[in-house]
């Protein structure tokens, strides 16, 4: 009875526009990862494309009615970023340290989604950034600054740490407390998609972190790379096509998980 009452209370809360907008943000993020997964698979099997978020946005903009969909995505992911900003402000905890740690987590998510919204908006307005090239240029400029290699190294290690955190979150299913997982086969499928998706994204982020760290250690910005560089690094390994294909399929799984999270997120 108590559980039913809790669900009823949640259904009332979910009627607010902000919460519905946040759910739309998960759907938008799922669309981004779906496009990234497809592009990664195309690149792995010999095609051309940009496998980062900017590449996904540009692919969407080039599709029929894509500009309309891209603006809808801008609104959705920006709304999700705003939701996490508000969530951070509303955090309550008896411990000041715990409160600010939870706020930092929520605001970190907000920065990610607001940045995605900004990039998508820029592309919708006509910008055509080149992900890896821009990152290499920025890394080279940073390396020429006093203390630049140390700062770039710190950024690389942070990204590497984020990749490890994503993979661990998938293996240990630490995403479950943030969702109301359905029962039965559907719940098992949602959890399975989450595990595969988080591990795949963790691997990709980890490789990006390694590339940035290599650029810092060698003081050579050409080593820096984003998701495009990560895919190229994977393909260059023994059985690289299989590894790259597995990561691409993992991104598709993560996209499906995000679509499920649109429905089952505990917000």
């Amino acid at each position: 009875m108590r559980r039913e009452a809790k669900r009823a209370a949640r259904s009332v809360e979910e009627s607010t526009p902000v919460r519905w907008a946040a759910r739309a943000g998960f759907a938008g993020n799922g669309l981004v990862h779906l496009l990234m997964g497809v592009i990664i698979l195309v690149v792995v099997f010999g095609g051309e494309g940009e496998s980062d978020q900017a590449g996904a946005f540009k692919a969407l903009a080039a599709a029929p009615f894509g500009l309309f969909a891209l603006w809808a995505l801008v609104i959705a992911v920006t709304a999700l970023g705003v939701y996490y900003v508000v969530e951070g402000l509303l955090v309550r905890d008896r411990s000041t340290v715990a409160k600010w740690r939870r706020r930092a987590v929520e605001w970190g998510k907000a920065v990610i989604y607001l940045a995605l919204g900004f990039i998508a908006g820029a592309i919708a307005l006509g910008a055509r950034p080149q992900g890896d090239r821009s990152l290499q240029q920025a890394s080279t400029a940073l390396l020429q600054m006093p203390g630049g290699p140390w700062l770039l190294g710190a950024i690389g290690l942070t990204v590497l740490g984020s990749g490890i955190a994503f993979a661990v979150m998938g293996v240990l299913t630490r995403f479950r407390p943030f969702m109301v997982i359905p029962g039965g086969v559907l719940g098992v499928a949602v959890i399975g998609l989450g595990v595969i998706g988080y591990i795949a994204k963790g691997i990709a982020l980890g490789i990006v972190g390694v590339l940035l760290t290599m650029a810092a250690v060698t003081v050579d910005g050409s080593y820096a790379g984003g998701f495009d560089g990560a895919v190229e690094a994977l393909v260059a390994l023994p059985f690289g096509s299989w590894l790259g294909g597995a990561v691409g399929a993992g991104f598709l799984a993560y996209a499906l998980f995000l679509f499920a999270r649109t429905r089952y997120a505990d917000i």
Side-chain angles (χ1 to χ4, degrees):
M1 183 66 69
R2 183 179 301 175
R3 186 175 182 181
E4 293 300 322
K6 185 176 179 181
R7 286 183 176 177
R10 182 182 292 119
S11 67
V12 173
E13 292 176 355
E14 288 175 348
S15 65
T16 62
V18 173
R19 294 180 186 276
W20 278 111
R23 292 185 184 279
F26 286 122
N29 197 23
L31 177 60
V32 172
H33 283 84
L34 179 67
L35 292 171
M36 290 176 68
V38 171
I39 295 171
I40 288 172
L41 291 175
V42 168
V43 171
V44 165
F45 292 106
E48 295 184 356
E50 297 175 55
S51 54
D52 58 3
Q53 288 92 340
F57 295 145
K58 284 187 276 188
L60 181 59
F65 304 104
L67 196 58
F68 173 80
L70 185 57
W71 277 116
L73 190 148
V74 170
I75 295 170
V77 296
T78 302
L80 184 55
V82 172
Y83 169 79
Y84 281 122
V85 170
V86 175
E87 282 288 288
L89 291 172
L90 296 179
V91 163
R92 296 291 182 268
D93 201 293
R94 293 182 179 180
S95 169
T96 302
V97 174
K99 178 175 68 176
W100 282 101
R101 181 171 62 245
R102 289 171 59 191
R103 281 181 173 172
V105 171
E106 298 300 322
W107 288 341
K109 296 175 184 177
V111 168
I112 292 172
Y113 288 110
L114 291 174
L116 278 177
F118 176 81
I119 295 171
I123 290 173
L125 291 172
R128 290 296 180 267
Q130 300 293 325
D132 269 22
R133 185 179 302 173
S134 299
L135 184 58
Q136 289 173 356
Q137 292 172 347
S139 298
T140 300
L142 183 59
L143 289 170
Q144 295 172 353
M145 298 171 57
W150 291 99
L151 180 56
L152 184 60
I155 294 172
L157 292 175
T158 300
V159 175
L160 175 59
S162 298
I164 294 172
F166 257 88
V168 170
M169 194 168 184
V171 172
L172 301 181
T173 66
R174 288 182 177 172
F175 50 83
R176 295 183 67 173
F178 306 105
M179 301 176 66
V180 182
I181 304 291
V185 176
L186 179 58
V188 174
V190 170
I191 293 171
L193 289 171
V195 170
I196 296 170
Y198 271 95
I199 292 174
K201 186 162 185 180
I203 291 172
L205 282 172
I207 295 173
V208 172
V210 170
L211 293 175
L212 290 172
T213 305
M214 286 177 58
V217 171
T218 60
V219 197
D220 185 352
S222 65
Y223 279 103
F227 282 112
D228 285 344
V231 173
E232 290 178 4
L234 271 177
V235 172
L237 295 173
F239 305 104
S241 295
W242 290 98
L243 293 173
V247 170
F251 268 68
L252 296 180
Y254 189 60
L256 294 176
F257 170 77
L258 288 170
F259 291 143
R261 193 170 181 179
T262 302
R263 170 64 180 84
Y264 299 112
D266 188 12
I267 58 176

